[in-house]
Amino acid sequence: MSNRSTRGDIVAVADDLFYRRGFEHTSFADIAEHVKISRGNFYHHFKTKDDILDAVIQKRLDDRNAMLERWEIEGETPVDRISSFIDILIVNGEKIKLYGCPIGTLTSELAKLNHAARENAGRLFMLFRIWLRRQFVELGREADADALAMHLLSRSQGAATLFNAFQDENFVQREVYQMKNWMKEVAAEAPNRIGDKRPLHEPMDG
């Protein structure tokens, strides 16, 4: 097995274990056991668990960036692309029901630990905040795009937390439906609605 492949396996396993067990409750030995490598080989790639945490955060950033790029390609309109974000609650429903949101649970745990990596982990939320803000700008809501992005982020995080707490699939289905209805209302109120080809700042006739 190549060094690059071994390192990638370690990070992938750590990513999964940090999500399912939590960062604090996952040890070097746990990760090494799942990857099936010796302790010496393990330390060749990572000296500390914090080094692994940094690599896991970077992996999650890379994975989410790739997902956002895919949504950009697949979604013809901002509404389509924002809908893809909302649908995470359904697409990843089984994992969220069992373990919560992978981003929310990690940032919350690191905050409780007052861990030095908490700010780095916060980049994961910032990635979605910036991306959602851009979608709302394209929707014609430039003035309040950031506020709308934060509202949707907070609502989706709340839904994920309550889904994990109550294990109620009907609840999360209703939340997804209501968030999409809210998004359509936001789009309908935009000064430049979908299908309007004028630039965002060009005044409408009359």
Side-chain angles (χ1 to χ4, degrees), residues 81-152:
R81 297 190 285 273
I82 297 170
S83 291
S84 294
F85 170 80
I86 296 172
D87 282 336
I88 292 178
L89 289 165
I90 304 298
V91 174
N92 295 335
E94 285 304 311
K95 289 183 177 180
I96 292 172
K97 183 167 68 173
L98 292 173
Y99 311 114
C101 168
I103 298 175
T105 53
L106 179 63
T107 54
S108 178
E109 181 182 12
L110 295 181
K112 290 177 183 177
L113 296 172
N114 196 26
H115 195 283
R118 60 186 296 185
E119 184 174 345
N120 192 25
R123 293 167 58 203
L124 290 158
F125 274 133
M126 184 58 70
L127 180 69
F128 282 107
R129 178 180 183 175
I130 292 171
W131 184 84
L132 285 169
R133 182 169 63 207
R134 187 168 71 248
Q135 305 312 313
F136 284 114
V137 168
E138 292 183 18
L139 196 59
R141 297 294 296 261
E142 185 173 11
D144 57 352
D146 190 63
L148 294 169
M150 288 293 285
H151 174 76
L152 187 55

Side-chain angles (χ1 to χ4, degrees), residues 68-86:
L68 296 179
E69 288 174 5
R70 186 175 71 251
W71 291 349
E72 291 281 353
I73 294 170
E74 295 174 352
E76 294 185 2
T77 69
V79 168
D80 293 335
R81 297 190 285 273
I82 297 170
S83 291
S84 294
F85 170 80
I86 296 172

Side-chain angles (χ1 to χ4, degrees), residues 9-55:
D9 288 344
I10 291 171
V11 174
V13 166
D15 184 16
D16 179 62
L17 291 177
F18 289 172
Y19 179 36
R20 293 190 291 109
R21 298 183 182 181
F23 169 73
E24 189 174 21
H25 294 104
T26 301
S27 67
F28 259 38
D30 294 330
I31 301 169
E33 179 183 352
H34 280 75
V35 181
K36 303 188 186 310
I37 60 174
S38 68
R39 185 67 65 92
N41 193 6
F42 192 100
Y43 282 107
H44 173 72
H45 296 281
F46 295 99
K47 304 302 182 187
T48 69
K49 197 166 76 165
D50 285 352
D51 291 338
I52 302 175
L53 176 60
D54 289 340

Side-chain angles (χ1 to χ4, degrees), residues 179-194:
M179 278 187 271
K180 288 187 176 181
N181 277 346
W182 168 82
M183 177 183 58
K184 291 175 183 176
E185 291 173 1
V186 168
E189 294 168 359
N192 295 277
R193 289 182 287 275
I194 295 172

